Every structure is written in structure tokens, then in C-alpha cells.
């Protein structure tokens, strides 16, 4: 252990950085399986897009006595899911992949579902279910990335924290509405 340098020796590090510069952020020290990471991130991207669409639908369809404040919550979530989608797409490109925005197969790639819901309460419940699915699936992704791709892991950790906030917001709404 005594002779073991903390990082790869600097000469090797410099030489490696000069090879394959067209790969941008992906260096030879990248330890994860890039293809798998891109595939997983495309599933997260699909999940976020489906969530944007569902929250938008709910925003426009919210009616009733409590509709105003709930609709604002739906809109805020929609915008935050859109920001997540953008961040994930950007990371896919950084890794040399292509973000899949194709409507074809979107709901299959997505982990969360698109459920319209009839009443305001139904909508909130469906959104809560979707958030809980995203939370479990992102947690699995984070475990998978581990130390092999810390940047992707951190991105998904930040997004996971917000999905937990979303779930909490929705649970509070249900409680306020006595559902
Ligand atoms: Fe999200
Ligand atoms: Fe969310």
C-alpha cells in the first residue's frame, strides 16, 4: 500500500487524457458500462417526459373548489420534471450517447405511468404513485452507478431528492383535502 500512488501516476494520466480527445468527458478511467448507463438514463428521460405530460394534463384538467392551488402545484411539478428531463438528456450527450425523445415506445421506456385520473383527488393519487415509482427506480439506478460513474450518480441523487419532495407535497395535498 505504501508504494501505491493515490491516483494513476501523472505521466500515464496525462498521456491517457491526450488519447481519444474526441470522447470529451469520457476518459479511459471511466469505469461504468457506458452503453448500459446511457440506456438507463434514457429510461429515466422517458420517465420524466411522461411525468411532464401527466402533470400538464392534470394542470389543465384540474377543476373544483380546491383546483386553483392544486393546479399550481401540478404546474410547478411539470416544470421541475421538464428540468430533470433536460439535465438527463444533457448527461446522455456528455457520455457520447443520444437522448431518446421519440414518442414511439415512450410509455414502455418510462417506469412511471401516464394515468389521467377523473377527479382532482384521483389525479393527485396517480401523481403520488408515479412519484413513488420514480423514487424506487432512481434509487436502484443510483446504487447501480455507485462509484463507477459518480457524476451520473450525483445527478440522479439530486433528482431523487426532488421526487421525494414531490411525493411529500402530494401526500400533504391529499391530507389537506381529507382524502
Ligand atoms: Fe423528475
Ligand atoms: Fe417528480
Amino acid at each position: 500500500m505504501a508504494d501505491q500512488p493515490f491516483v494513476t501516476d501523472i505521466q500515464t494520466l496525462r498521456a491517457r487524457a491526450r488519447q481519444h480527445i474526441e470522447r470529451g468527458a469520457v476518459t479511459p478511467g471511466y469505469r461504468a458500462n457506458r452503453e448500459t448507463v446511457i440506456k438507463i438514463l434514457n429510461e429515466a428521460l422517458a420517465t420524466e417526459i411522461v411525468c411532464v405530460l401527466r402533470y400538464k394534463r392534470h394542470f389543465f384538467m384540474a377543476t373544483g373548489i380546491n383546483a386553483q392551488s392544486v393546479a399550481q402545484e401540478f404546474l410547478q411539478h411539470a416544470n421541475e420534471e421538464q428540468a430533470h428531463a433536460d439535465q438527463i438528456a444533457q448527461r446522455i450527450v456528455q457520455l457520447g450517447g443520444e437522448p431518446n425523445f421519440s414518442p414511439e415506445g415512450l410509455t414502455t421506456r418510462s417506469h412511471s405511468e401516464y394515468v389521467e385520473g377523473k377527479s382532482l383527488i384521483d389525479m393527485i393519487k396517480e401523481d403520488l404513485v408515479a412519484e413513488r415509482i420514480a423514487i424506487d427506480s432512481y434509487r436502484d439506478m443510483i446504487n447501480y452507478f455507485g462509484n463507477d460513474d459518480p457524476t451520473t450518480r450525483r445527478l440522479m441523487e439530486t433528482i431523487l431528492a426532488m421526487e421525494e419532495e414531490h411525493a411529500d407535497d402530494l401526500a400533504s395535498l391529499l391530507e389537506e383535502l381529507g382524502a
Side-chain angles (χ1 to χ4, degrees):
M1 199 63 198
D3 287 354
Q4 196 71 21
F6 175 58
V7 289
T8 321
D9 80 274
I10 196 72
Q11 300 296 344
T12 311
L13 207 67
R14 286 176 181 159
R16 282 197 327 198
R18 287 185 181 280
Q19 294 162 358
H20 310 297
I21 54 170
E22 76 283 358
R23 288 185 198 157
V26 183
T27 62
Y30 184 78
R31 281 164 51 194
N33 181 329
R34 209 168 47 91
E35 245 126 71
T36 309
V37 171
I38 290 166
K39 183 180 170 288
I40 292 172
L41 285 179
N42 265 317
E43 289 173 18
L45 176 61
T47 301
E48 295 293 344
I49 296 169
V50 166
C51 287
V52 172
L53 296 173
R54 196 192 55 254
Y55 275 125
K56 282 278 187 172
R57 156 86 185 192
H58 291 176
F59 166 65
F60 286 109
M61 290 300 286
T63 51
I65 193 139
N66 299 299
Q68 274 301 326
S69 58
V70 176
Q72 282 315 305
E73 197 73 43
F74 289 157
L75 180 60
Q76 195 195 326
H77 286 197
N79 291 337
E80 285 165 351
E81 311 300 16
Q82 181 63 63
H84 296 163
D86 292 346
Q87 288 172 307
I88 293 166
Q90 195 174 34
R91 183 61 186 157
I92 291 170
V93 173
Q94 262 182 7
L95 290 172
E98 294 179 9
N100 190 348
F101 281 96
S102 173
E104 206 169 343
L106 182 65
T107 51
T108 313
R109 292 195 302 280
S110 167
H111 294 182
S112 295
E113 291 170 297
Y114 179 91
V115 182
E116 294 180 341
K118 287 199 170 67
S119 66
L120 199 59
I121 301 278
D122 273 359
M123 293 179 200
I124 301 170
K125 279 183 180 164
E126 287 305 333
D127 290 331
L128 180 52
V129 169
E131 294 289 355
R132 288 170 60 84
I133 292 170
I135 288 168
D136 270 345
S137 112
Y138 293 174
R139 199 186 288 119
D140 282 352
M141 290 180 191
I142 289 161
N143 286 336
Y144 173 80
F145 299 139
N147 292 323
D148 291 344
D149 185 339
T151 307
T152 303
R153 190 195 67 227
R154 263 190 292 117
L155 169 66
M156 293 312 295
E157 281 172 349
T158 313
I159 294 176
L160 170 64
M162 196 166 278
E163 310 308 0
E164 289 178 352
E165 270 181 46
H166 288 169
D168 193 51
D169 291 344
L170 296 164
S172 302
L173 281 178
L174 283 178
E175 209 170 311
E176 282 166 32
L177 298 174

